[in-house]
Amino acid sequence: FLTPFLILVSIFYVVPAILTIVMSFTGLDSSFVWEFNNFKNFRKILLDPNTLTIVRNTCIFVGVAIVCTVCLDLMFAVLTTYFIKVDRYSSLFKSILMIPMITPAVVYSVLWIWLLEASENGVVNKIYMAFGGQQALNWIAKYPMQIVLVATVLTSIAYGTTIFSSAIKSIPENQFKAAHIDGAGEWEIIKSIILPNIRYHIQFIALWETLGLLTNYVTILLITNGGPGIKTEVWALSAYHKAFTDQQYGYGAAISLVLILIVLVLMMLINKVMQKQNER
């Protein structure tokens, strides 16, 4: 019974993964000549003057996005589950949060480009000039990293909010009643009851978002394409550009392999930390 699925997984996941590993040790380019060059591609990564900038961009992008996403997820989950008791209103609010997540990436990115159009006809520029702005700004060129961060975070809020809301609903009601009887304030209830009860869900979302953000580049590709210059070029996008724009397939595969190794190491470290916390 499992054989058809195992064949599909092997063809579309296992085989491409093996080919990527093999390709990373070759100088494969547009000529499609497979010549092994040992660790030349990895040395090239270390010697590339843009590598440090790309690593810094990746750390900023992933770090800021995770913190903002988890904090907003918690805020919206508590708001729509603990403070808003009527399911109809909370469901409506969550549905609005879902819109960026379910919108196709191309449509979503085009909407951002349209809103931030550099001319006086741009929606954001119209608002900006109505409040005293002297001239239209090229928002994407001036604040590229901030824009891709906001666009990325908005697509991630709904998933974490849903997970946290479900976790909060599973907390026994008598804990809240006991806290109110003891005279606990709302912040004390959030800090002492809600957060401890959903700590495993917070860990899961943090891990999930970390892995997703490290390999995510679609929004950045469509809005800024890594620019201006390489101001928003992250590691995964760099692999895409090297492989499919510059047609340096072996070099792009090597960048991807480094990313895979980083993700594996990060997963093991996070799992160790979680295990120690669980033991405590």
Side-chain angles (χ1 to χ4, degrees):
F1 288 110
L2 286 175
T3 301
F5 302 101
L6 289 174
I7 292 171
L8 286 173
V9 169
S10 299
I11 292 173
F12 292 106
Y13 290 94
V14 178
V15 172
I18 294 171
L19 286 174
T20 299
I21 294 171
V22 174
M23 198 186 304
S24 65
F25 293 95
T26 70
L28 186 66
D29 54 18
S30 57
S31 63
F32 288 99
V33 177
W34 289 69
E35 292 183 357
F36 286 94
N37 57 11
N38 297 324
F39 295 94
K40 187 176 179 180
N41 290 326
F42 300 97
R43 287 197 297 269
K44 190 176 178 180
I45 293 172
L46 293 174
L47 296 174
D48 191 335
N50 294 326
T51 296
L52 285 177
T53 303
I54 293 170
V55 170
R56 186 192 65 189
N57 291 343
T58 305
C59 292
I60 292 172
F61 175 71
V62 174
V64 174
I66 288 171
V67 172
C68 292
T69 300
V70 173
C71 289
L72 289 172
D73 288 345
L74 286 169
M75 184 182 73
F76 288 130
V78 172
L79 176 66
T80 58
T81 308
Y82 178 68
F83 289 105
I84 301 176
K85 302 296 184 182
V86 182
D87 287 339
R88 182 175 56 185
Y89 297 134
S90 62
S91 297
L92 176 62
F93 191 82
K94 290 174 189 174
S95 299
I96 295 171
L97 292 178
M98 287 260 183
I99 293 173
M101 187 179 73
I102 63 176
T103 304
V106 174
V107 177
Y108 180 71
S109 301
V110 169
L111 283 172
W112 273 96
I113 294 170
W114 172 69
L115 289 170
L116 299 168
E117 187 181 346
S119 70
E120 295 180 356
N121 296 320
V123 176
V124 175
N125 272 327
K126 283 183 178 180
I127 298 171
Y128 171 70
M129 295 175 73
F131 281 91
Q134 298 298 318
Q135 60 181 2
L137 297 179
N138 188 342
W139 297 95
I140 294 177
K142 194 169 184 179
Y143 306 105
M145 183 58 78
Q146 293 89 331
I147 288 167
V148 296
L149 276 169
V150 172
T152 302
V153 168
L154 286 177
T155 59
S156 306
I157 291 174
Y159 181 71
T161 300
T162 304
I163 297 293
F164 292 157
S165 295
S166 300
I168 293 170
K169 283 183 179 179
S170 68
I171 299 173
E173 189 66 28
N174 57 7
Q175 292 188 26
F176 296 108
K177 290 179 180 178
H180 284 301
I181 292 171
D182 290 339
E186 301 297 352
W187 170 243
E188 291 296 328
I189 290 173
I190 293 170
K191 184 178 70 174
S192 304
I193 295 178
I194 293 177
L195 292 181
N197 274 285
I198 66 171
R199 64 185 183 277
Y200 297 118
H201 302 83
I202 295 172
Q203 291 174 356
F204 166 73
I205 290 297
L207 175 60
W208 179 270
E209 292 296 337
T210 300
L211 300 180
L213 289 166
L214 281 170
T215 56
N216 179 31
Y217 64 89
V218 176
T219 303
I220 302 175
L221 172 68
L222 295 172
I223 295 177
T224 65
N225 196 28
I230 58 169
K231 287 185 178 179
T232 55
E233 185 90 354
V234 294
W235 198 266
L237 182 58
S238 174
Y240 172 86
H241 278 152
K242 295 300 181 185
F244 297 102
T245 303
D246 300 339
Q247 294 185 326
Q248 299 179 36
Y249 303 114
Y251 187 36
I255 296 173
S256 298
L257 183 58
V258 171
L259 179 61
I260 292 169
L261 293 174
I262 291 171
V263 169
L264 287 174
V265 171
L266 191 61
M267 283 178 62
M268 288 189 289
L269 289 174
I270 292 173
N271 283 330
K272 270 198 169 184
V273 171
M274 286 183 178
Q275 286 175 1
K276 286 185 178 180
Q277 287 181 347
N278 293 339
E279 289 172 1
R280 291 174 185 173

